[in-house]
Amino acid sequence: MSDEQLALAYVQGNSKAFDELLQRNQSKVFSYIMFVVRNQDVANDIFQETFIKVITRLQEGKYTDSGKFSAWVMRIAHNMIMDWYRQQKAEPIVSAPEDNDLSKLGSPSLSDASIESAFVNEQVMRDVRAMMNRLPTLQREVVFMRFYQGMSFKEIAETTGVSINTALGRMRYALLNMRKMARKHNIALQLV
């Protein structure tokens, strides 16, 4: 059964259908929430609130089978995250991870070229993640949805409740900001 069929089966009283929906969607939804809020406890709370709201909306008949159940759930998660941010007085300062250290590149144990390439690529990806964590929330969210969840800009726009042009603009500014950070800190972002 598709997610949409499972949602309709749950509305008609099949509680096992919801268990299957949760199993299919929990990893994607939780990883999205965790990426945006960057706090395990907060992510767990928002995840639970998201699925409570999903259950409530399904039981109230506020879901219509449009073929986009996962996008509908992601939209609810997005709204829950925005509600949480509104409740915060200020966004916490994010610092670079402690393991963001290029000094290990000269280690004698990395004499094999393939091991060295893997290490360099791993470091580049850590640097990219560190820079992403410094982006404003809305830009970080679009980058995550696009590159980590493989969503189209149309899906991102629907999930976040903005126009496609706004989603594209946020991505553009995110990439510009990351390039500025890379130049400022002299970070090479080329995979080998």
Side-chain angles (χ1 to χ4, degrees):
M1 292 177 79
S2 70
D3 284 355
E4 293 72 25
Q5 291 169 326
L6 288 169
L8 295 174
Y10 173 71
V11 169
Q12 295 169 355
N14 182 348
S15 60
K16 290 186 179 190
F18 185 79
D19 294 341
E20 178 67 23
L21 279 173
L22 179 62
Q23 182 181 351
R24 287 184 186 180
N25 291 281
Q26 67 185 359
S27 177
K28 180 179 180 181
V29 173
F30 183 80
S31 63
Y32 164 64
I33 294 169
M34 183 65 188
F35 182 80
V36 176
V37 301
R38 298 183 309 260
N39 180 302
Q40 182 84 28
D41 293 332
V42 172
N44 283 326
D45 290 345
I46 292 174
F47 177 80
Q48 289 175 4
E49 290 174 26
T50 297
F51 274 93
I52 288 170
K53 189 158 249 176
V54 167
I55 291 169
T56 303
R57 291 216 174 142
L58 285 170
Q59 290 174 344
E60 291 172 348
K62 292 187 178 179
Y63 173 74
T64 55
D65 181 8
S66 61
K68 298 179 181 180
F69 180 81
S70 64
W72 181 71
V73 172
M74 292 298 284
R75 173 73 181 171
I76 291 172
H78 168 78
N79 290 342
M80 298 303 290
I81 292 168
M82 293 302 111
D83 289 347
W84 178 79
Y85 271 117
R86 284 184 202 105
Q87 294 172 357
Q88 306 306 303
K89 292 182 181 174
E91 187 172 320
I93 297 171
V94 178
S95 58
E98 291 179 22
D99 64 347
N100 191 13
D101 180 16
L102 294 176
S103 66
K104 296 177 185 171
L105 286 176
S107 172
S109 64
L110 297 175
S111 58
D112 184 31
S114 64
I115 293 173
E116 187 172 339
S117 293
F119 186 78
V120 170
N121 290 343
E122 184 180 312
Q123 183 64 47
V124 167
M125 294 311 294
R126 274 197 303 264
D127 289 341
V128 168
R129 280 191 298 276
M131 287 188 294
M132 284 176 58
N133 284 337
R134 291 187 175 128
L135 291 172
T137 301
L138 297 175
Q139 292 174 20
R140 186 174 62 245
E141 177 181 50
V142 170
V143 171
F144 179 78
M145 289 176 167
R146 181 74 177 139
F147 293 110
Y148 286 84
Q149 293 188 319
M151 296 173 73
S152 70
F153 283 105
K154 181 179 180 187
E155 292 170 324
I156 292 169
E158 289 172 358
T159 300
T160 58
V162 299
S163 70
I164 291 177
N165 286 338
T166 300
L168 287 166
R170 288 176 181 170
M171 177 62 80
R172 179 178 179 269
Y173 286 115
L175 294 174
L176 288 172
N177 284 333
M178 290 175 70
R179 285 184 188 130
K180 283 181 191 175
M181 284 184 249
R183 277 192 305 269
K184 180 180 177 182
H185 299 288
N186 200 25
I187 298 172
L189 295 178
Q190 187 170 7
L191 298 175
V192 270

